[in-house]
Amino acid sequence: MRYFELLVLLIFYNLVPVWTTCTSVPVALRVVFTVAICIGYLVILFRGEKTPLKSFRMRSLRRGLSITWLTGASILCEWIIIALYLVLSPRGAVAKTFSVVMPVLAVLLTFTIGIIRTAIGSKQMKVLDYVLLYLFWWVFPINLLVLAHFFKKARREYWFEADRAELDNSRAENEICKTRYPIIMVHGIFFRDWQHFNYWGRIPAALKRNGAVVYYGRQQSARSVHDSAVELRSTILQVIEETGAEKVNIIAHSKGGLDSRYAISCLGMDKYVATLTTLNTPHNGCDMVDFLLGKVPEKIANGIANKYNKIFGALGDSAPDFMAGVRTLGAARMAELNKEMPDSPAVSYRSCMSVMRSALSAGFPLCFSYLLIKKLNGRNDGLVWEESARHGRYRLVENKHMRGISHGDVIDLLRENIEDYDVREFYTGLVAELKAEGY
């Protein structure tokens, strides 16, 4: 089917040479043939794509992939066809000009439709991918290289999602994430639990598909550990009341892990929390925070804090406190807090930590903070150094490639498919483990 579509495209692109070289064929027959080819061309551009996935997004991505492949193949063939026609055809300059202009415009249209359909379906393509395509689509052979990269990336996304859907469907009945106690996912600093932008990316949906009951911490974006823990306590009690469960399992990221520990140890929540799993949480603080607070003038720091508090106050925080949230993450302050909130023997503690492999593993500002923390402490995720994240049963999360896994990657912040690290499957495994252990 794909090669038949390629043949139709090539004939459509070269209708001018066809008309000018097939003069012995009756005009009526050539008109019918031209109309048929034009209809075939439109069908190629706008028809659907058969796929086992029911998602409109994935069907659009699959068709965009097909059109992208056709574009690359037709560009390669068209250069040969045009060159032969210009050399061998006895036609005049006007006919030869049209024989070049028509294919160029038609290829551009095909290319644009393919990119649009891919963009509708893809969540992994970056703005740079599209910019490069439109800068070099006409420059042979660079256009083929750019298209090949684009096609490979889109195809990887399609099959990644297809395999993911097949895996979820195959084990749907098993409900491997249906834990005894509901799960509360607790966010870190500088974020909120928004309805339309989930802090945890695609993770909660994957857990729910596999049977998990998921709630969110709902604490404000930036407050001291004590104040955030008070808010989290209210959420825990509300979930207990709503579900009738005896306890909850907490999965917390970054500062959310500290908020959770404080609520457990200092606010009486140990009798309501079965397990606490922290991810990239600075249990021993961040030396970078102390370093920056010592370097940044107080006037500038307060100016940043005031702007932050004003913005997040408008976004829904009732009493945001940027400086209180930041100061509580310093190594000196955490040394004091660790004495105030000893672990409860009634709670099972476990922790996970990911690391970046270079400053190129993440964008701004983690690329810069990674270098500073590496100099101060060693391996880190762009915000937290490795040893600071150890608490209870410990697991280091790595992949085999130079990409590494940043502080944001571990919560699927950018919804990016990272090679050798399926963030949704990682969390599914964490929760399946809780279920297996009776939690």
Side-chain angles (χ1 to χ4, degrees):
M1 184 64 179
R2 179 179 288 181
Y3 293 102
F4 176 74
E5 289 181 330
L6 177 60
L7 178 62
V8 172
L9 285 181
L10 292 176
I11 295 174
F12 177 80
Y13 295 162
N14 296 282
L15 282 176
V16 171
V18 169
W19 267 83
T20 56
T21 56
C22 300
T23 54
S24 60
V25 178
V27 174
L29 188 58
R30 278 186 281 170
V31 169
V32 172
F33 178 76
T34 299
V35 171
I37 290 298
C38 289
I39 293 174
Y41 175 69
L42 293 175
V43 170
I44 289 172
L45 293 188
F46 299 107
R47 79 173 180 86
E49 186 81 23
K50 291 183 178 180
T51 169
L53 300 176
K54 297 180 181 180
S55 165
F56 168 78
R57 182 178 73 84
M58 297 307 296
R59 290 198 300 270
S60 180
L61 177 59
R62 181 66 182 271
R63 189 56 194 162
L65 272 171
S66 296
I67 297 177
T68 302
W69 183 91
L70 289 169
T71 300
S74 62
I75 286 174
L76 183 60
C77 296
E78 201 56 38
W79 274 97
I80 299 172
I81 293 171
I82 290 175
L84 291 175
Y85 181 77
L86 293 178
V87 172
L88 302 177
S89 175
R91 298 293 170 180
V94 175
K96 289 185 176 181
T97 300
F98 273 104
S99 71
V100 174
V101 173
M102 273 285 293
V104 169
L105 294 177
V107 168
L108 177 58
L109 177 60
T110 306
F111 165 77
T112 300
I113 295 298
I115 297 308
I116 290 173
R117 298 192 71 165
T118 303
I120 291 173
S122 175
K123 292 186 177 180
Q124 301 299 308
M125 292 298 175
K126 308 300 182 185
V127 173
L128 181 61
D129 294 318
Y130 298 111
V131 171
L132 290 175
L133 281 170
Y134 274 95
L135 282 177
F136 297 107
W137 74 269
W138 56 277
V139 183
F140 183 83
I142 297 177
N143 51 7
L144 295 180
L145 297 176
V146 175
L147 276 169
H149 169 75
F150 185 88
F151 177 81
K152 181 179 179 182
K153 190 172 182 179
R155 182 178 63 179
R156 180 175 178 271
E157 178 181 0
Y158 174 81
W159 287 114
F160 186 95
E161 296 298 334
D163 291 345
R164 178 77 213 176
E166 183 179 355
L167 177 62
D168 282 340
N169 290 336
S170 67
R171 64 188 183 192
E173 295 181 358
N174 297 329
E175 295 187 315
I176 64 171
C177 293
K178 190 173 184 180
T179 51
R180 179 181 178 185
Y181 306 119
I183 295 168
I184 299 179
M185 305 189 78
V186 182
H187 68 74
I189 195 169
F190 304 145
F191 282 90
R192 285 175 47 85
D193 289 317
W194 280 297
Q195 180 179 358
H196 300 294
F197 181 81
N198 197 308
Y199 177 85
W200 300 88
R202 300 164 293 179
I203 297 166
L207 296 180
K208 291 175 184 177
R209 280 196 298 269
N210 286 282
V213 176
V214 177
Y215 291 85
Y216 300 100
R218 299 201 303 273
Q219 76 273 36
Q220 294 182 59
S221 64
R223 301 190 76 186
S224 68
V225 166
H226 170 271
D227 290 342
S228 294
V230 170
E231 294 176 324
L232 181 57
R233 176 181 61 184
S234 298
T235 298
I236 295 172
L237 294 176
Q238 182 179 341
V239 171
I240 292 292
E241 181 179 359
E242 182 177 326
T243 62
E246 298 176 359
K247 296 185 177 183
V248 299
N249 295 307
I250 295 178
I251 296 177
H253 175 243
S254 193
K255 176 179 173 288
L258 305 178
D259 302 339
S260 302
R261 284 180 57 198
Y262 196 97
I264 291 169
S265 300
C266 304
L267 302 180
M269 292 298 101
D270 54 326
K271 55 180 167 291
Y272 297 118
V273 177
T275 67
L276 170 62
T277 303
T278 60
L279 297 113
N280 299 44
T281 291
H283 293 286
N284 294 314
C286 297
D287 291 307
M288 179 185 69
V289 171
D290 295 325
F291 176 83
L292 292 176
L293 288 176
K295 295 291 184 180
V296 177
E298 185 176 351
K299 184 177 180 180
I300 294 177
N302 289 334
I304 295 173
N306 291 335
K307 289 181 179 178
Y308 177 92
N309 294 339
K310 184 176 181 180
I311 292 171
F312 272 80
L315 292 174
D317 279 357
S318 60
D321 192 337
F322 178 90
M323 290 308 300
V326 170
R327 288 196 180 99
T328 200
L329 297 175
R333 175 56 181 148
M334 275 309 305
E336 298 173 359
L337 275 175
N338 280 325
K339 295 178 182 178
E340 296 177 26
M341 49 184 194
D343 288 350
S344 168
V347 178
S348 173
Y349 295 86
R350 59 275 311 273
S351 59
C352 302
M353 176 64 185
S354 69
V355 291
M356 293 166 55
R357 294 187 181 274
S358 74
L360 299 178
S361 297
F364 179 83
L366 297 187
C367 55
F368 294 109
S369 56
Y370 166 82
L371 295 174
L372 176 58
I373 299 172
K374 184 178 181 181
K375 183 177 180 180
L376 292 172
N377 303 112
R379 295 210 305 176
N380 66 90
D381 67 352
L383 285 178
V384 179
W385 62 288
E386 182 181 356
E387 291 304 313
S388 184
R390 287 181 181 271
H391 196 84
R393 189 194 306 176
Y394 176 72
R395 179 182 304 176
L396 180 63
V397 185
E398 294 184 284
N399 65 354
K400 300 176 183 177
H401 303 276
M402 290 303 295
R403 171 68 169 74
I405 305 168
S406 74
H407 195 79
D409 293 332
V410 82
I411 55 164
D412 199 31
L413 186 63
L414 299 179
R415 282 68 170 163
E416 183 178 356
N417 293 338
I418 300 173
E419 193 169 0
D420 194 41
Y421 173 67
D422 183 345
V423 65
R424 287 169 287 182
E425 190 61 19
F426 171 70
Y427 278 82
T428 299
L430 286 180
V431 177
E433 187 176 282
L434 293 178
K435 178 186 177 180
E437 294 177 4
Y439 297 110

